[in-house]
Amino acid sequence: MGGIFYGISDALLRKRRCPKCGKEQVVPREKRRETVRCVKCGNEIPPPTNR
Ligand SMILES: [Zn+2]
């Protein structure tokens, strides 16, 4: 049970935009440091380097 601020920053960390098609998607928390696949075009989206 985190506080409100934790919840907001967590939501921001989970948002990732596909560099290929621009589709913004939510990444599961446990995969935020892994490369995920775009739900729209299938392109691989690497984790953000800053944090
Ligand atoms: Zn895409």
Side-chain angles (χ1 to χ4, degrees), residues 17-25 37-45:
R17 185 197 291 269
C18 173
K20 192 175 176 184
C21 72
K23 167 77 175 173
E24 207 173 54
Q25 53 204 305
R37 205 167 277 275
C38 176
V39 293
K40 188 178 178 185
C41 70
N43 185 50
E44 288 187 342
I45 311 172

Side-chain angles (χ1 to χ4, degrees):
M1 296 298 169
I4 291 174
F5 295 112
Y6 175 78
I8 291 173
S9 62
D10 189 53
L12 287 173
L13 280 172
R14 290 164 59 180
K15 269 199 164 185
R16 208 179 291 183
R17 185 197 291 269
C18 173
K20 192 175 176 184
C21 72
K23 167 77 175 173
E24 207 173 54
Q25 53 204 305
V26 176
V27 178
R29 195 177 164 198
E30 66 271 18
K31 294 205 174 188
R32 67 184 181 179
R33 295 196 183 276
E34 297 175 28
T35 297
V36 297
R37 205 167 277 275
C38 176
V39 293
K40 188 178 178 185
C41 70
N43 185 50
E44 288 187 342
I45 311 172
T49 48
N50 55 336
R51 236 202 101 117

